[in-house]
Amino acid sequence: MNNYCAFSKDHTCIKWTDYKITRQELEEADELCHGNWIEIEKKNEYIHTLQSILDCNQIAYPKEI
């Protein structure tokens, strides 16, 4: 997509701003999702470590809330 439109007085595309904003929002969402996924993986690894300690000591898991 480009910022040129033959049908407007100043030849700028009125959808260009929407395109730039949407693209920026998608980039921010991608960064947040990636960061969240890394945090989820770390928490999951931590949970598995704790579960293995409980299993080795034959301790029952606490009830989920």
Side-chain angles (χ1 to χ4, degrees), residues 17-30:
T17 303
D18 289 341
Y19 167 76
K20 288 187 346 185
I21 291 171
T22 302
R23 183 172 173 213
Q24 182 180 1
E25 288 175 348
L26 287 172
E27 288 174 0
E28 289 175 1
D30 183 52

Side-chain angles (χ1 to χ4, degrees), residues 2-53:
N2 58 34
N3 193 19
Y4 177 78
C5 178
F7 304 106
S8 68
K9 286 182 181 181
D10 59 359
H11 298 292
T12 58
C13 180
I14 57 175
K15 292 184 180 181
W16 182 252
T17 303
D18 289 341
Y19 167 76
K20 288 187 346 185
I21 291 171
T22 302
R23 183 172 173 213
Q24 182 180 1
E25 288 175 348
L26 287 172
E27 288 174 0
E28 289 175 1
D30 183 52
E31 289 174 15
L32 288 173
C33 287
H34 182 70
N36 287 344
W37 185 250
I38 290 171
E39 186 176 341
I40 289 168
E41 286 178 330
K42 287 180 182 179
K43 298 289 185 188
N44 197 31
E45 184 179 320
Y46 181 73
I47 289 169
H48 286 296
T49 301
L50 291 175
Q51 285 176 332
S52 112
I53 292 169

